[in-house]
Amino acid sequence: MGKIKIAIVDDVEMTRIGLMYLLNKNNEYELVSEASNGRIFITQLGIIKPDIVLMDVNMPIMNGIEATKEALKALPELKILALTNDDAEAYIEDMITAGAKGFLMKKVDAAELSKAIQIVINGGTYLSPELISYYNKSSISQSSKYKINLTSQEEKVLHFLCQGLSIKEIHNKTNFQIPEIEHIFNTLSVKTNTRNAVGLVLFAIKNKLVVI
């Protein structure tokens, strides 16, 4: 397998420089583009064809939400990791709906950045520890209106999803077959009214279906 091709999209130059510095520490990665807004990135997309994008949300001209939507229309297999600050709650649902596979704080260090990239590139989802901590603290109580009955199989699969594992990785860790895991995932999505894996993970944390 060749190097993982990465693009950075952020309107703050120092953020781009910092991320480039961290990426250059790992010879598994190839930086194929940096852009200061979503429109510039979209115009480059057909040429650079990255595997994964580190995408800021609040940018001029075209923000990260719209850029994520446009990018995934062109390259459905593209992985998007959203770059967040402490105001993540204001837009996290919109980025999930747009198709982001994970969320990183902009102050990320090299180890966490690499961990997040590897998880997402392998089909998992990633939420930064700060984001998980925030939602654990602000999550609704056990007496919530959400009363979701989960089977033992659903609990097991949900637990692994919240650890960032992909369906294939869950298959490797359990005796569940891939079609069975996909069926359980779809059932969990219906029960929680979520659209994708990262939305399901966030719902599980917010509603204390799992403890991370």
Side-chain angles (χ1 to χ4, degrees):
M1 181 179 176
K3 292 186 176 184
I4 296 171
K5 296 190 293 184
I6 301 175
I8 300 171
V9 188
D10 195 297
D11 63 320
V12 179
E13 184 179 13
M14 289 305 298
T15 299
R16 298 198 306 274
I17 291 172
L19 290 169
M20 284 188 283
Y21 172 75
L22 297 180
L23 292 173
N24 285 335
K25 289 184 172 184
N26 193 320
N27 60 15
E28 295 180 42
Y29 306 143
E30 177 187 357
L31 181 66
V32 294
S33 172
E34 57 159 319
S36 59
N37 63 67
R39 176 55 62 201
I40 294 173
F41 168 67
I42 293 299
T43 61
Q44 299 172 340
L45 190 57
I47 299 170
I48 61 174
K49 295 182 180 177
D51 299 307
I52 190 166
V53 183
L54 306 178
M55 179 78 76
D56 187 19
V57 179
N58 297 314
M59 296 181 289
I61 303 176
M62 177 183 280
N63 64 34
I65 296 167
E66 293 306 315
T68 295
K69 292 176 183 177
E70 291 295 319
L72 291 175
K73 285 179 185 177
L75 295 176
E77 299 303 313
L78 182 63
K79 311 296 185 184
I80 307 285
L81 260 171
L83 298 172
T84 71
N85 285 312
D86 293 333
D87 60 347
E89 187 181 14
Y91 52 73
I92 190 169
E93 299 290 348
D94 288 335
M95 279 300 284
I96 289 173
T97 301
K101 298 297 183 184
F103 293 82
L104 275 174
M105 301 299 287
K106 290 190 179 185
K107 59 185 179 181
V108 64
D109 61 22
E112 187 189 352
L113 178 60
S114 183
K115 178 182 178 181
I117 289 170
Q118 293 298 329
I119 286 174
V120 169
I121 208 71
N122 286 313
T125 62
Y126 187 82
L127 295 177
S128 72
E130 294 90 345
L131 201 57
I132 291 172
S133 177
Y134 170 79
Y135 278 110
N136 276 333
K137 289 177 182 177
S138 63
S139 62
I140 56 182
S141 69
Q142 294 286 3
S143 60
S144 163
K145 63 181 179 180
Y146 294 105
K147 294 293 184 181
I148 299 174
N149 296 317
L150 301 179
T151 67
S152 60
Q153 290 181 327
E154 289 168 351
E155 288 179 350
K156 193 170 188 177
V157 168
L158 184 59
H159 175 77
F160 283 129
L161 287 170
C162 289
Q163 291 181 336
L165 272 64
S166 66
I167 287 176
K168 183 178 179 181
E169 289 170 329
I170 295 171
H171 164 67
N172 292 336
K173 278 186 170 287
T174 67
N175 59 357
F176 298 158
Q177 297 303 306
I178 288 178
E180 184 179 9
I181 299 168
E182 290 174 340
H183 174 74
I184 292 170
F185 171 77
N186 290 334
T187 301
L188 286 168
S189 296
V190 171
K191 284 186 175 183
T192 59
N193 192 30
T194 53
R195 299 186 181 189
N196 51 36
V198 69
L200 175 59
V201 168
L202 187 60
F203 181 95
I205 294 169
K206 289 171 67 175
N207 292 282
K208 296 185 179 178
L209 300 183
V210 296
V211 177
I212 299 179

